Amino acid sequence: MAVEKLFKSEATEEKGERARLASLIGGMAVADLVKTTLGPKGMDKILQSTGRGHEVTVTNDGATILKSLHIENPAAKILVDISKVQDDEVGDGTTSVVVLAGELLREAEKLLAAKIHPMTIIAGFRMAAECARNALLQKVLDNKDNAVMRLQGSTNLEAIQIIKKPGGSLKDSFLDEGFILDKKIGVGQPKRIENAKILVANTAMDTDKVKIYGARVRVDSMSRVAEIEAAEKQKMKEKVDKIIAHGINCFINRQLIYNFPEELFANAGILAIEHADFDGIERLALVTGGEIASTFDNPESVKLGHCKLIEEIMIGEDKLIHFSGVEMGQACTIVLRGASHHVLDEAERSLHDALCVLSQTVNDSRVLLGGGWPEMVMAKEVDELARVTPGKKSHAIEAFSRALITIPTIIAENAGLDSAELVAQLRAEHHKEGCTSGIDVISGSIGDMVELGISEAFKVKQAVLLSATEAAEMILRVDEIITCAPRRREDRM
């Protein structure tokens, strides 16, 4: 007996061919959306929020673009997720992974139209991915000599502070040893301290006045108010004395420091910095080797930070505080300059990607040449596998090879070059033994990647290859999409 109605009235279901088509089209649409941002000459997208202020973001970072989209199509959401995972895991290759997955789906659509079963396609894709990975492993180069020297084997990017200052151009950006805190030194404070002992704290230093809204005090005369204020002042003086007893010459607080305690610190020759943002003081405590304190009764249990010199510097029109010779030798600050906040935000995103790749290279020093070279190496090996594989799987393996070649094709197209001509030349070059050719988008021709010094981290390329294949497999397996009926208010009772 047939079931007349299985789902609620507003639930929808799509089966078989329609479901598969909806999934494939969703995946391809997301890939087409970020395709133009791929490569060194990729275009930017403007993302405008609908919230208050209508914030505008200008970016060509795949993960940032996809994170900002509210997508309905369930298959498209899978591609957004792999982009996020790629960003979290290796920090780069977020656009490549989505574009490759989209191209695999485009090739799969043609194979499905030729009546090849999804499981056959998936089996072919798996064989091709394994073959492509092995091809990369054989051609991988070791780059141990010139990995990130400053980090000395550490992948802790917290030691690298990034400060954005509008003004000037991106060319004015620079790397500075030590730590820069975006704060000014107060009035009457010492402007320069050598061999600093730093106490980093998160404590209230604003209790020298009666908090009108915090407590209700009834008094019979103004002299009583003066007594209360004097008691508050005495309490604050005792707290300052406890802090001074730590033998410090620099006090940095997360919260406000009122005039009275600031005056006491100045009299004692101690530099007091207030309202240092939380991210700033956490990083400062990390790089100076101190700990954030909030009570000061046991000076021996508080770990102080140390640095050789604290001084005030100017960047553009702003004054900042520079800590040099910090305990954590690899700490440094990158100061970004740019025409506007949008330019600075995009520069920071690009820098974050670069730092992530460098820190991954410290862990895994294997690198590959860039400029479409890895894709051509993989495509050549996958093509050879297709020739010796019997049956319908060979069509899927061949399709995988075509999908790989689209990456250098898109890089060339985005640079305004003749992609068909360049990729054909590149394929011919790669049939020569020991080829190191790739697309040089600056000169608009085929170049030697070793001479040009263009390389990519092996870990990034491997993650792109495996994640894109797995995402394409998952979407190909779909044969039914069920959308639940929206929950009504009475349903929640």
Side-chain angles (χ1 to χ4, degrees):
M1 192 178 86
V3 178
E4 268 189 30
K5 206 171 182 189
L6 185 61
F7 302 113
K8 282 190 172 181
S9 57
E10 287 180 44
T12 60
E13 88 175 304
E14 288 177 357
K15 283 188 173 180
E17 202 60 40
R18 281 193 63 180
R20 200 167 286 126
L21 202 59
S23 301
L24 293 173
I25 288 169
M28 289 188 282
V30 167
D32 289 342
L33 182 73
V34 293
K35 190 191 279 185
T36 54
T37 67
L38 187 66
K41 296 263 185 117
M43 307 300 278
D44 287 0
K45 307 271 185 217
I46 290 183
L47 308 171
Q48 186 170 12
S49 75
T50 51
R52 190 190 297 168
H54 293 284
E55 270 185 34
V56 170
T57 307
V58 183
T59 182
N60 69 359
D61 178 43
T64 307
I65 295 165
L66 295 176
K67 229 185 288 178
S68 313
L69 301 178
H70 298 288
I71 289 173
E72 282 292 308
N73 187 295
K77 283 182 180 171
I78 292 172
L79 294 198
V80 174
D81 281 348
I82 60 164
S83 170
K84 281 181 189 165
V85 171
Q86 180 79 8
D87 197 30
D88 296 341
E89 279 296 304
V90 285
D92 196 22
T94 50
T95 308
S96 308
V97 72
V98 175
V99 170
L100 182 56
E103 290 304 325
L104 288 172
L105 293 176
R106 203 183 303 278
E107 292 296 335
E109 188 186 19
K110 295 174 194 167
L111 296 173
L112 289 167
K115 296 284 182 280
I116 296 175
H117 193 273
M119 281 305 162
T120 310
I121 299 170
I122 288 169
F125 279 3
R126 278 195 183 160
M127 285 170 69
E130 192 55 39
C131 170
R133 184 168 173 271
N134 290 338
L136 288 186
L137 283 168
Q138 284 164 16
K139 300 280 177 103
V140 83
L141 313 167
D142 204 331
N143 193 31
K144 266 205 165 59
D145 304 333
N146 52 356
V148 193
M149 292 304 179
R150 284 201 68 83
L151 288 172
Q152 295 157 356
S154 148
T155 54
N156 185 6
L157 293 180
E158 284 182 13
I160 300 172
Q161 158 97 325
I162 296 173
I163 287 181
K164 298 180 287 186
K165 284 283 165 202
S169 74
L170 275 173
K171 286 182 182 173
D172 300 333
S173 305
F174 61 92
L175 171 74
D176 198 301
E177 288 192 24
F179 185 88
I180 297 176
L181 191 66
D182 198 353
K183 284 281 146 199
K184 290 179 188 167
I185 292 178
V187 180
Q189 311 263 355
K191 301 285 185 204
R192 179 187 169 94
I193 291 177
E194 290 183 10
N195 296 323
K197 291 178 188 159
I198 306 162
L199 177 60
V200 185
N202 183 9
T203 185
M205 300 296 288
D206 55 352
T207 50
D208 61 329
K209 294 182 180 177
V210 174
K211 298 261 196 306
I212 305 299
Y213 52 81
R216 294 179 69 180
V217 182
R218 292 196 174 185
V219 290
D220 48 18
S221 69
M222 279 308 288
S223 61
R224 297 280 189 199
V225 176
E227 280 174 31
I228 293 168
E229 286 196 341
E232 285 273 8
K233 232 171 187 177
Q234 184 56 34
K235 189 178 162 193
M236 177 51 70
K237 188 173 186 310
E238 285 167 13
K239 189 172 186 178
V240 172
D241 289 342
K242 280 181 188 174
I243 292 169
I244 294 170
H246 287 68
I248 56 167
N249 51 13
C250 177
F251 176 69
I252 298 171
N253 193 22
R254 163 82 181 85
Q255 300 178 36
L256 270 173
I257 301 177
Y258 268 7
N259 300 3
F260 177 62
E262 194 172 43
E263 185 187 318
L264 294 175
F265 283 126
N267 292 343
I270 292 172
L271 167 61
I273 301 163
E274 64 172 1
H275 248 188
D277 63 288
F278 201 76
D279 190 32
I281 69 158
E282 277 206 325
R283 197 177 267 125
L284 183 64
L286 173 81
V287 299
T288 56
E291 284 177 1
I292 299 172
S294 46
T295 56
F296 311 101
D297 295 323
N298 304 313
E300 65 283 349
S301 66
V302 175
K303 196 175 175 190
L304 299 180
H306 297 274
C307 82
K308 286 178 185 163
L309 177 67
I310 300 176
E311 59 186 340
E312 194 170 57
I313 58 167
M314 280 196 79
I315 297 174
E317 300 295 308
D318 299 334
K319 289 181 179 174
L320 299 97
I321 303 168
H322 183 239
F323 298 78
S324 51
V326 290
E327 189 108 333
M328 196 177 193
Q330 63 263 42
C332 58
T333 302
I334 297 170
V335 179
L336 294 175
R337 308 298 311 278
S340 71
H341 286 290
H342 299 129
V343 174
L344 288 172
D345 289 344
E346 179 59 2
E348 186 184 22
R349 279 189 287 272
S350 302
L351 187 61
H352 172 263
D353 285 2
L355 290 174
C356 285
V357 172
L358 287 175
S359 73
Q360 293 298 336
T361 313
V362 173
N363 265 352
D364 183 347
S365 61
R366 292 175 294 176
V367 294
L368 299 160
L369 299 176
W373 179 86
E375 284 78 16
M376 296 310 287
V377 166
M378 291 190 282
K380 184 186 166 199
E381 290 294 325
V382 171
D383 259 341
E384 283 173 16
L385 175 70
R387 285 200 197 102
V388 297
T389 305
K392 289 182 177 178
K393 281 183 199 168
S394 63
H395 295 295
I397 296 170
E398 214 176 314
F400 196 96
S401 165
R402 286 197 297 273
L404 285 169
I405 289 176
T406 53
I407 299 274
T409 307
I410 292 165
I411 289 173
E413 278 173 6
N414 289 348
L417 307 173
D418 183 350
S419 60
E421 173 69 23
L422 281 175
V423 171
Q425 283 181 24
L426 195 56
R427 190 189 276 126
E429 284 287 324
H430 272 265
H431 276 283
K432 296 173 187 170
E433 196 59 42
C435 172
T436 56
S437 299
I439 294 174
D440 176 7
V441 291
I442 308 300
S443 68
S445 61
I446 301 297
D448 187 332
M449 296 292 113
V450 176
E451 277 177 27
L452 294 167
I454 298 171
S455 56
E456 297 186 56
F458 169 74
K459 200 169 178 185
V460 173
K461 269 284 168 264
Q462 179 178 264
V464 166
L465 178 70
L466 301 181
S467 302
T469 312
E470 283 177 12
E473 281 179 20
M474 190 185 283
I475 292 168
L476 276 174
R477 277 209 185 91
V478 172
D479 74 336
E480 190 167 354
I481 300 173
I482 301 165
T483 311
C484 299
R487 290 174 70 184
R488 301 209 182 288
R489 197 171 288 276
E490 60 266 22
D491 291 351
R492 296 178 195 161
M493 302 301 280

